[in-house]
Amino acid sequence: MHTDPLLSGRAAVAEAQRARVHKRTLTVVVISQILGGAGLAAGISVGALLAENMLGSDTLSGLPTGLFTLGSALAAFLVGRSTQRFGRRLGLAFGFIAGGIGAVGVVAAAVAGSVPLLFVALFVYGAGTATNLQARYAGADLATPDRRGFGSSMAMVATTIGAVAGPNLIDPLGSLADALGVPTLAGPFILAAAAYVAAGLVLFVFLRPDPYLLARRIAEVGAEDDSDGAAAAGTTPRVGPGAYAGATVMVLTQLVMVAIMTMTPVHMRAHDFDLAAVGLVIGMHIGAMWLPSLVTGALVDKLGRMPMAIASGVTLLLAGIVAATAPGDSLGLLILALMLLGLGWNFGLVSGTALVVDATVPQNRPRTQGTIDVLIALSGAGGGTMSGVVMSSAGYQGLALGGGVLALALIPVLLVRRPPYVRTISRGTRR
């Protein structure tokens, strides 16, 4: 078929622009994710301990995680919808800033001893968590089909630096809080406030041109160049079955990871570990959540989405077994269990994200991504809220083992929802 050289030239210019902006986008997202990682680490590390201290009971100590993950569900919905209309930049920037405001509210609640204010502030703080996750999609907006795992994983790798540093600053931040007249356990939220606001400002100022808006324009150019004109007719393509598979992977891995992670600091404190030990375990866990993205993205692109998703379920089962069988005073085995927990979550998030991106196009992608991240956040909220109740009745061992077994449920679901194009994506075809 004859190809118009003018159209070919326009496509070449669009491709060159795509590659240039994708590289710049990854740089900006990496910087924001370093800051965002430090912000999210506060709630993970001491949120449950702060609630236990203020409530005087560990039965509801999983409630903070439930609240800020519930808040992240609302934020994921709003960020997804705003991205569809205005692009990634505004949604991500204001999501991080809202998270910073929530962190300030947590500090104020701790100073005032106000439990209602604490709950409201934790809900708002959850916006930072949702935004931190949504930023991974910015890394994949302009990626070619065989590099989508890599694009999203690079955005996640950057989170490692801040997320690992945050928990290991618990002691010095506690000292800073004491010097300021703030309760010790509120110290990490001072860091979270500054880090989240800084991340939002970086995105607002430097994420130009907007990667999603550019990806949508490039897709529209391709639609106009399509000889049959069908794609240019204005109809929004249907979401592919891979989106359901990706959503299942990410929802189940989030549920299991949050439930076990939330109760680990409470379990450790019950066995007389100090805050430094808690910070070490959670820091190693968060490192295992994000740092493997250096290679996970490449594995997802090379080995396939489905094998890595199945590996996620198996790894989470191993994490549950190790956590359930570890003696209460064994710091080494708790570190191993939580690192396996983070690794399994990482496999699930990267492979699930790639499945969702593969199954969507720019016209429906942000709305679909936002909806799925709402489900992810709600699963985390349920896991965090119920984890304290389960631990009170079945113990930490029962919680850990039950979570590991639950993770295996994703395997039969994946086999049923197996997308038809998984094996061909590395060759650049989607169906």
Side-chain angles (χ1 to χ4, degrees):
M1 181 178 66
H2 176 71
T3 303
D4 188 328
L6 178 61
L7 295 182
S8 298
R10 183 166 61 173
V13 170
E15 173 59 23
Q17 185 184 21
R18 181 207 62 75
R20 176 176 56 81
V21 177
H22 185 224
K23 182 177 180 180
R24 173 181 169 82
T25 296
L26 285 178
T27 301
V28 174
V29 170
V30 161
I31 295 171
S32 71
Q33 291 296 84
I34 291 173
L35 296 166
L40 72 86
I44 293 173
S45 302
V46 300
L49 296 176
L50 180 61
E52 181 184 21
N53 185 57
M54 292 181 68
L55 293 169
S57 169
D58 64 359
T59 301
L60 297 177
S61 56
L63 191 57
T65 302
L67 284 168
F68 71 69
T69 49
L70 191 62
S72 74
L74 176 61
F77 176 83
L78 295 176
V79 170
R81 291 304 187 272
S82 66
T83 297
Q84 192 79 40
R85 294 189 61 186
F86 307 114
R88 298 276 181 207
R89 184 175 68 92
L90 291 180
L92 294 178
F94 288 113
F96 271 131
I97 291 171
I101 293 171
V104 171
V106 171
V107 175
V111 171
S114 172
V115 172
L117 177 58
L118 174 69
F119 289 167
V120 172
L122 285 168
F123 182 84
V124 178
Y125 169 78
T129 305
T131 308
N132 193 81
L133 279 177
Q134 286 267 319
R136 75 194 187 279
Y137 292 122
D141 277 331
L142 295 169
T144 54
D146 61 337
R147 298 279 284 173
R148 284 169 178 161
F150 173 82
S152 60
S153 67
M154 284 302 99
M156 292 170 60
V157 168
T159 306
T160 308
I161 300 173
V164 172
N168 288 289
L169 292 174
I170 288 178
D171 270 353
L173 287 169
S175 299
L176 173 64
D178 291 339
L180 296 174
V182 173
T184 303
L185 290 174
F189 286 95
I190 299 174
L191 171 64
Y196 272 160
V197 171
L201 292 176
V202 166
L203 289 165
F204 183 77
V205 174
F206 296 108
L207 196 63
R208 304 168 186 265
D210 189 284
Y212 167 68
L213 296 180
L214 178 58
R216 190 170 68 185
R217 286 200 300 272
I218 291 173
E220 289 167 354
V221 168
E224 292 169 2
D225 293 348
D226 197 345
S227 60
D228 62 15
T235 58
T236 301
R238 200 164 57 89
V239 175
Y244 300 100
T248 299
V249 172
M250 292 188 283
V251 165
L252 273 178
T253 54
Q254 181 79 356
L255 173 65
V256 172
M257 185 276 291
V258 170
I260 298 175
M261 173 202 67
T262 299
M263 286 299 103
T264 298
V266 177
H267 171 68
M268 292 181 67
R269 293 290 277 175
H271 287 84
D272 298 323
F273 285 104
D274 58 20
L275 285 177
V278 172
L280 174 63
V281 170
I282 298 302
M284 297 296 285
H285 164 68
I286 296 175
M289 287 173 62
W290 302 99
L291 187 58
S293 300
L294 285 167
V295 295
T296 305
L299 290 174
V300 167
D301 288 333
K302 295 293 184 182
L303 300 181
R305 281 61 162 141
M306 299 294 280
M308 293 302 295
I310 291 172
S312 169
V314 174
T315 306
L316 289 173
L317 174 63
L318 291 176
I321 292 173
V322 173
T325 58
D329 59 353
S330 176
L331 181 62
L333 286 177
L334 283 174
I335 290 174
L336 175 61
L338 269 290
M339 288 183 69
L340 287 170
L341 188 70
L343 181 63
W345 178 88
N346 177 271
F347 287 170
L349 190 68
V350 178
S351 60
T353 297
L355 282 166
V356 171
V357 176
D358 292 344
T360 55
V361 293
Q363 291 92 329
N364 59 28
R365 188 168 293 148
R367 182 178 289 109
T368 304
Q369 291 166 339
T371 300
I372 290 173
D373 276 12
V374 168
L375 297 176
I376 294 171
L378 289 175
S379 69
T385 302
M386 294 304 297
S387 60
V389 177
V390 174
M391 182 167 160
S392 293
S393 60
Y396 181 74
Q397 291 74 19
L399 172 68
L401 188 58
V405 172
L406 179 61
L408 289 181
L410 65 84
I411 296 178
V413 174
L414 284 171
L415 295 178
V416 171
R417 287 287 187 180
R418 184 182 184 92
Y421 51 84
V422 171
R423 293 186 181 277
T424 61
I425 194 69
S426 63
R427 295 194 295 272
T429 57
R430 294 183 62 244
R431 297 291 178 196

